[in-house]
Amino acid sequence: MYTQGLDGKIGPVREAETAEEKEREARFQARIDAEERIEPNDWMPEGYRRTLIRQISQHAHSEIVGMLPEGNWVTRAPTLRRKAILLAKIQDEAGHGLYLYSACETLGVERAELVEQLLAGKAKYSSIFNYPTLTWADVGMIGWLVDGAAIMNQVPLQRCSYGPYARAMVRICKEESFHQRQGYEIVMTLAQGTPEQRRMAQESLDRWWWPALMMFGPPDSDSVHTAQSMKWKIKRVTNDELRQKFVDVTVPQAERLGLRIPDPQLRWNPERGHYDFGPVPWDEFWRVIAGEGPCNRERLEQRRRAHEEGRWVREAALAHAEKRRLRDRAA
Amino acid sequence: MAEDRARFEYLLRLGDNSLILGHRLSEMLGNAPALEEEMALVNVALDLIGQARLFLGYAGELEGAGRDEDALAYRRDVLDYRCALIVELPNGDFAHAIGRLFLISAFDFELYGALRESADRRLAAIAEKSLKEVTYHLRHAGEWVIRLGDGTEESHRRMQKALEDLWMYTGELFTPDALDEAMREAGIAPDLARLREGWDRRVDAVLREATLTRPAEGWMQSGGKDGRMHTEHLGYILAEMQFLQRAYPDARAW
């Protein structure tokens, strides 16, 4: 998924102190335990609200920043059909971003404020989008691996305790599964193509494999939020469980494609009933998160530039709307 | 057969216009002034690429030389492209990009409306579908022209400048050449001069509401749709668009 639950800082949250407050929190937890959905107007602990704002906004930012690496290939898509599919996919992602910002706004925060945080470099988005798309195979790889990982994480989120987020996920998952299939189809076409196309596919898998595994977030042993988020049913499955599931599903797909997963330690473990896999390069992960990935600067710079260059347009739209309002009132 | 060749040439004009304008709009991805607008422009680009596929696919069938939509899009060089000059121009600022979309959509609105009556029923069907899309493009771009024209001082100045810059490329759309005449006589395409009336009315109404001044009619550039002399920009568009097909000529599928 696109929210790696990375930013540990949701600010100080006042603990329940009085008997009344404790009672209210207990009632809230009882609703969660009974699998009730929490809705925007319901009372919720401040920590729950802030955790959701952090997670949903990271998710929204990821959709928006995630448009850039794929957008890098729109003008160079190899056929008109591929170009049309890619445009449709990117449009879906913009839609997901808008949808998620709206879900976030139900928690009492403005989209403009969230976007400001992103542009100021204060908000996180998925580490995966800080990697470059160098060849056309990367567009396929993003669909197959990145959207595949996103689905893996988002399916359980359809049962998230917060209603608006859970409902957003239902729709988003449907579109993501289309994205994943088109990505797999691109990779398959390349894998069955000329030696040069095969090379392109294999090289791309080599570059994207580990960053894709990092998408599930740090190992459970280092994940600061997992326990509380699981208790609140914001999160249903741990990072490591999801990562394992992703590996188990993806390895046979790579085998079908005749592509090699770049992990010498990868092997089926019949006792566990899972694939064992080598250590994820977590130092790279933390570096990318800290802003030193190959494209962190460029991605943010592009969003900032579009925001700045669009300022006069947004101001004009507001000014025009105001003129209209005054004219309508005068009429 | 001669008539098939002429229709092929005519369809290239329609297809190339959609393709190259779609290409330009897709360059706005990641550069739009707001997220909603980014979505809208990508959506318009998607419609245009869809139209290009229909026009070029049909053109390839008429030609009968085994070229499909991709062969036509990706294996022709500047000399064989037949788009109007206006679609080749760089996007420029948002006023230029949206102003161009407005002027062309107003033209396509008239053209596709008339092509619904074409003696070529397949072309008529494509026009029918495209008209629905272009109606939305025209409304969307027109609303922006009004917002920018009647917005702030800066937006008004930019929008007026965009119109002045684009205006000399509008004449080519309406000036019939021998091919346009042949298509009209065959009942396949409308009289271009007659489309002008509706375009003028529609454009003038938007400019009036936008408090913008219609640029003076001066010299009009031409040379795109007949392939006589494209802009320098087209070569770069094709170099980018055709890169993979050119770099991997042995690849049979993508």
Side-chain angles (χ1 to χ4, degrees), chain A residues 64 67-68 71-85 87-88 90-92 94-95 97-98 101 111 136 185-186 189-190 192-194 196-197 200 302-303 305-307 309-317 319-321 323-324 327, chain B residues 19 22-23 26-27 29-36 38-40 42-43 45-46 49-50 52-53 56 69-70 73-74 93-95 143-144 146-152 154-155 158-159 209 237 240-245 247-248 250-254:
Chain A
I64 301 311
M67 293 163 71
L68 300 176
N72 184 37
W73 278 90
V74 162
T75 56
R76 291 177 292 170
T79 68
L80 297 183
R81 175 172 166 265
R82 290 288 181 212
K83 194 190 288 281
I85 293 173
L87 282 167
I90 293 171
Q91 195 191 5
D92 284 349
L98 283 174
Y101 282 129
R111 173 176 140 196
W136 171 251
E185 198 208 332
I186 289 175
T189 307
L190 295 174
Q192 293 170 352
T194 63
E196 283 173 308
Q197 286 176 307
M200 204 186 271
Q302 178 161 359
R303 290 306 339 172
R305 194 172 56 240
H307 192 74
E309 286 175 2
R311 190 178 297 280
W312 69 269
V313 177
R314 296 189 301 274
E315 283 170 2
H320 179 74
K323 284 183 186 176
R324 273 227 154 132
R327 275 201 296 264
Chain B
L19 178 60
H23 182 97
S26 72
E27 291 175 348
L29 213 159
N31 298 305
L35 191 49
E36 284 81 354
E38 188 136 335
M39 245 180 114
V42 171
N43 190 30
L46 181 56
I49 298 302
R53 295 181 66 189
L56 294 179
E69 60 182 42
D70 290 325
Y74 290 92
D93 69 3
F94 186 71
E143 283 170 358
W144 268 116
I146 293 168
R147 272 186 218 115
L148 298 181
D150 188 25
T152 63
E154 181 183 8
S155 69
R158 284 178 183 261
M159 196 61 240
E209 198 179 339
I237 293 174
E240 185 171 340
M241 186 173 84
Q242 299 175 339
F243 154 68
L244 280 169
Q245 294 268 357
Y248 299 91
D250 299 334
R252 282 189 309 277
W254 287 97

Side-chain angles (χ1 to χ4, degrees), chain A residues 69-70 72-73 127-135 138-139 142 204 207-208 293-296 298-299:
Chain A
E70 290 179 307
N72 184 37
W73 278 90
S127 57
I128 196 79
F129 300 119
N130 291 314
Y131 290 86
T133 49
L134 304 179
T135 69
D138 293 351
V139 174
I142 288 180
S204 179
R207 266 186 296 118
W208 289 92
C295 299
N296 296 55
E298 281 170 77
R299 301 286 186 244

